[in-house]
Amino acid sequence: MSSDQQYPYGQQPPPQPHQGQYAGQQHQHQHQHQHQHQPYQAPYQEPGYQEPGYPEQRDSGAAQTWQAETWDTQYQPVVQPTQAAAPDTAYLPPQAAYPLPPEAPLPAPGPAAYEPPADPAADAGYSAPTTIGNARITDAQRARAEGRSPIIAPGMQPAGLTAALGLLLAGGAAIGPYALFVPLVLLQAVTAAGWFRLNGMWPARQGIALAFAGGLAADAVLLAVGRENAPAAIIGTLGVWVLLTLVLQLRSHAGADERMYGLMATVASAALAILATGHLAGPDDAVVVGGIAVAVAVLARALPLPGVASVAVALLAAAGAGIAAGGLTDMGAKGALLGLAAGGCALIGLRVASYDYPSRFVHMTAGVALPLTAAAPAVYLIGRALV
């Protein structure tokens, strides 16, 4: 290591006793080396002068130090401040401090502002009318939110349509099988459409058409083979339609869950449409009694009565209508049993059509057709037993 790295400038190393004749040469070499590595002194520059290749430096009147690398890290030259100010800051006025403005006093608490009374409609869950639609929740949604029963009966208007259709069935049966065929086809079409809508699947044109075609096929087979072979015609058509529905669903490109839902809904709808053929297979007198009993039962059930009382009144009314219709036919008093059974099946159909927040479309389709469709097996079986 050289002596200029061990000792700062201006200090000499102590003489060594063993150097001898080389002491003078070493002292001369060190003196030359000191002058050779003396720090660079920047010449006087005008204010605002910028050294090329270095960052901009402004003379702000404070002490500055040289920022370039030097050989000696313990020594930094001091640049004396200049008297002249930099051209770009000479025009700035001296900065003076001003006191902050006084804080504004807080307003004194006054009487509470008037608040209008709460709107009772708002507490009830209703909102103001809007131009984009009615934001009010339905009675069914309110019932589910409040934990009440989601069952909503179709009401008097669907009951009136059911009664009219039941009377048409009774009148057609009194005339003949081909006269009964016309209202039966209407019943099967409304059953197929209403069941799909009741299950939340709409539009489902292919499924509705397939189920309705099953009902028509059962009617055609029954008329072809006769009423004595009605069980074979109905069960055989049902089996063929279940197989056909399964094949069509397997060819579908929908997801697995969607295909399963479609399969179950189509099979159930086709089964109901085919079971409605029981009105065509039953005895004429039984169809007359059953149609009248269902019409009276649904009208009594739509009356504004408590639940248990409404069911009891509907069943008693169906039995009474059976007795009255039996007096018009050869069944006589036996019509009370058939009327009671048909009325009970009609109430089950109404219950199914009232479940899980149905819409008005469900009420006007499933709510109209399911009471008569559910009563078809009772009309066929009990009618064959009593006649």
Side-chain angles (χ1 to χ4, degrees):
M1 181 181 297
S2 61
S3 60
D4 55 354
Q5 295 179 356
Q6 294 179 351
Y7 305 99
Y9 292 97
Q11 298 181 6
Q12 299 297 333
Q16 303 294 333
H18 60 277
Q19 289 181 354
Q21 58 181 351
Y22 298 101
Q25 299 178 1
Q26 186 177 6
H27 178 72
Q28 182 179 2
H29 174 73
Q30 183 178 359
H31 183 71
Q32 295 177 357
H33 192 275
Q34 178 179 0
H35 286 282
Q36 182 179 356
H37 296 282
Q38 189 173 4
Y40 172 76
Q41 295 287 343
Y44 174 77
Q45 300 175 359
E46 295 292 335
Y49 174 79
Q50 175 64 37
E51 182 71 19
Y54 289 90
E56 181 180 359
Q57 300 178 1
R58 297 180 178 177
D59 188 3
S60 59
Q64 298 182 355
T65 57
W66 182 257
Q67 297 181 359
E69 296 182 359
T70 59
W71 191 265
D72 187 3
T73 60
Q74 297 181 357
Y75 176 77
Q76 294 293 339
V78 178
V79 179
Q80 297 297 330
T82 58
Q83 298 298 330
D88 54 350
T89 59
Y91 65 94
L92 295 177
Q95 300 293 332
Y98 297 96
L100 294 175
E103 297 183 358
L106 295 176
Y114 170 75
E115 295 182 0
D119 189 5
D123 296 337
Y126 295 91
S127 60
T130 60
T131 58
I132 59 175
N134 190 0
R136 186 174 61 181
I137 64 175
T138 62
D139 295 336
Q141 293 173 342
R142 182 182 306 282
R144 171 168 289 181
E146 295 176 357
R148 294 187 282 109
S149 174
I151 303 300
I152 297 179
M156 184 58 71
Q157 186 175 1
L161 295 177
T162 302
L165 187 57
L167 294 178
L168 288 176
L169 288 174
I175 297 173
Y178 290 98
L180 177 61
F181 178 76
V182 176
L184 179 61
V185 170
L186 179 60
L187 174 63
Q188 290 170 332
V190 178
T191 300
W195 184 260
F196 272 92
R197 187 64 184 90
L198 183 62
N199 286 269
M201 308 179 84
W202 189 265
R205 299 182 182 89
Q206 295 181 356
I208 294 173
L210 184 61
F212 178 60
L216 291 180
D219 297 341
V221 172
L222 181 61
L223 292 176
V225 301
R227 291 181 176 178
E228 60 276 6
N229 296 318
I234 294 175
I235 296 176
T237 306
L238 181 60
V240 171
W241 241 251
V242 169
L243 180 61
L244 179 61
T245 303
L246 181 61
V247 172
L248 293 178
Q249 289 297 326
L250 290 177
R251 293 172 57 88
S252 175
H253 298 286
D257 294 341
E258 186 177 354
R259 283 187 294 176
M260 181 59 66
Y261 296 152
L263 174 64
M264 299 304 297
T266 306
V267 168
S269 181
L272 290 173
I274 293 173
L275 286 179
T277 311
H279 290 289
L280 187 61
D284 295 336
D285 293 343
V287 176
V288 171
V289 173
I292 295 176
V294 171
V296 175
V298 295
L299 289 175
R301 185 68 176 89
L303 296 176
L305 297 174
V308 178
S310 178
V311 173
V313 170
L315 292 177
L316 291 176
I323 295 176
L328 299 176
T329 61
D330 295 338
M331 293 190 67
K334 297 178 182 179
L337 179 59
L338 179 58
L340 182 62
C345 293
L347 295 183
I348 294 175
L350 279 177
R351 178 76 173 187
V352 173
S354 305
Y355 183 71
D356 199 15
Y357 301 153
S359 63
R360 182 171 179 81
F361 186 86
V362 174
H363 283 164
M364 299 303 294
T365 53
V368 171
L370 286 183
L372 289 169
T373 302
V379 169
Y380 173 76
L381 294 175
I382 299 178
R384 291 293 300 268
L386 295 178
V387 175

